[in-house]
Amino acid sequence: MSIIFLNGHYVHEKDARISPFDRGFTFGEGIYEVCIAINGKFVDALEHLARLERSLKECGIDTPPERDELSNIMSELLQKNDITTGLVYLQITPGASPRNFTIRPEGRPTLLMLAQGVDFKRSPAFLDGIHVQMRQDIRWLRRDIKTTMLMPQVMAKRDALSNGVSDTLYYDEYGITEGASSNVFLVDANGTLITRALSNHLLAGCTRARILDLAQNIGLTVEDRPIQLTEFVTAAECFVTSATYLIAPILTVDGVIIKDGKAGPITRLLQNKYCDYIEYN
Ligand code: PDD
């Protein structure tokens, strides 16, 4: 049984109560973040909280408590659940109102935090890599907002599993946008690292930003442009990044084997650098 944080209180999950009129429930009107901790240390918590504030602002939802207060709650939640390595899920909705599209609730926003223990560095995705499929990006055009409206992603991931692969990469008319819950990188035959530039077409991943920093530190050439669907055939390496994947090598895309079907040297190097960053920063 886990302890959660809801609207100012730490409670057992079975005692938590959210109104059926909460707009997160009736309209999917909500913003979330997933921030991980490894050995008791949060990874890029400030960046996640800054993105949370931005998402809320873009949707016109009241600003949350101060960042310091949120990070204290995050730490306390891990302690209360006896977790040193795992994730904190944070969700904010505008709160409860009659079911009416435009009305703004009079009460306070709903703030929910949950913690789960996960050993990210021992996941098969991180250690061995993943197989993925490509699907047309059917989501809305404000993918820069981290909203809880995740039905397309749930469907895409379930569809991937039913096709014998573990995740879906989305594409639009320009090329790959992002993964269903990750950002996508490709290393071409010349060793250039390619990933889509930030825009409303994808989420500005906190892991993506960190990996780009690390890549530049080790002297990689980076191109921020859409990966073309045909580029997987000649790619040297491919990987996805997210708070929970960290960096997961992609081994096949729609059955096309990337190089020799194993995690490549640049992917492994970036995994090591990222783990060092997590440990020493
Ligand atoms: N998802 N793109 C999408 C659509 C995502 O949902 C995520 C993260 C990312 C990567 O962002 P970051 O590196 O900041 O985690 C990109 C989280 C992990 C989730 O929904 O569980």
Side-chain angles (χ1 to χ4, degrees), residues 157-213:
K157 282 176 181 276
R158 286 196 179 135
D159 181 55
L161 291 189
S162 70
N163 291 325
V165 294
S166 55
D167 212 336
T168 296
L169 309 185
Y170 282 125
Y171 63 85
D172 64 8
E173 66 268 44
Y174 307 107
I176 296 293
T177 53
E178 59 181 343
S181 63
S182 59
N183 294 112
V184 184
F185 290 75
L186 180 144
V187 181
D188 73 9
N190 302 319
T192 301
L193 186 65
I194 302 159
T195 195
R196 185 125 172 189
L198 294 182
S199 72
N200 60 305
H201 295 268
L202 68 159
L203 186 74
C206 299
T207 324
R208 174 191 179 281
R210 192 60 60 198
I211 296 309
L212 285 174
D213 264 8

Side-chain angles (χ1 to χ4, degrees), residues 48-258:
H48 283 277
L49 294 176
R51 187 172 64 190
L52 176 79
E53 283 170 15
R54 178 188 181 276
S55 294
L56 289 166
K57 193 161 164 252
E58 291 297 309
C59 297
I61 302 177
D62 279 355
T63 46
E66 294 296 313
R67 285 185 204 176
D68 283 355
E69 201 182 323
L70 289 176
S71 14
N72 289 340
I73 302 169
M74 286 161 66
S75 304
E76 207 165 328
L77 196 60
L78 283 190
Q79 276 168 21
K80 286 190 190 299
N81 286 286
D82 225 0
I83 293 171
T84 50
T85 296
L87 62 85
V88 169
Y89 172 84
L90 195 163
Q91 179 174 339
I92 298 183
T93 79
S97 78
R99 193 181 179 286
N100 169 305
F101 277 89
T102 52
I103 208 165
R104 291 195 187 271
E106 282 167 15
R108 65 177 170 192
T110 300
L111 167 59
L112 167 72
M113 280 198 218
L114 319 168
Q116 278 172 211
V118 188
D119 198 347
F120 306 102
K121 287 197 213 164
R122 295 224 178 92
S123 79
F126 180 80
L127 293 173
D128 306 326
I130 56 171
H131 301 270
V132 300
Q133 62 178 12
M134 290 189 283
R135 288 291 179 271
Q136 189 173 9
D137 205 332
I138 53 164
R139 299 171 299 162
W140 72 335
L141 287 174
R142 289 305 310 272
R143 301 171 199 141
D144 53 312
I145 298 175
K146 198 159 173 65
T147 162
T148 53
M149 297 187 308
L150 292 172
M151 187 61 90
Q153 285 94 318
V154 169
M155 288 168 66
K157 282 176 181 276
R158 286 196 179 135
D159 181 55
L161 291 189
S162 70
N163 291 325
V165 294
S166 55
D167 212 336
T168 296
L169 309 185
Y170 282 125
Y171 63 85
D172 64 8
E173 66 268 44
Y174 307 107
I176 296 293
T177 53
E178 59 181 343
S181 63
S182 59
N183 294 112
V184 184
F185 290 75
L186 180 144
V187 181
D188 73 9
N190 302 319
T192 301
L193 186 65
I194 302 159
T195 195
R196 185 125 172 189
L198 294 182
S199 72
N200 60 305
H201 295 268
L202 68 159
L203 186 74
C206 299
T207 324
R208 174 191 179 281
R210 192 60 60 198
I211 296 309
L212 285 174
D213 264 8
L214 295 174
Q216 263 142 11
N217 289 348
I218 58 174
L220 290 181
T221 306
V222 175
E223 267 178 38
D224 52 354
R225 63 161 176 85
I227 296 165
Q228 299 306 303
L229 276 49
T230 49
E231 282 184 277
F232 292 109
V233 178
T234 52
E237 303 183 33
C238 258
F239 58 88
V240 287
T241 63
S242 79
T244 48
Y245 269 134
L246 312 178
I247 303 174
I250 296 178
L251 309 180
T252 64
V253 180
D254 276 350
V256 171
I257 301 172
I258 308 295

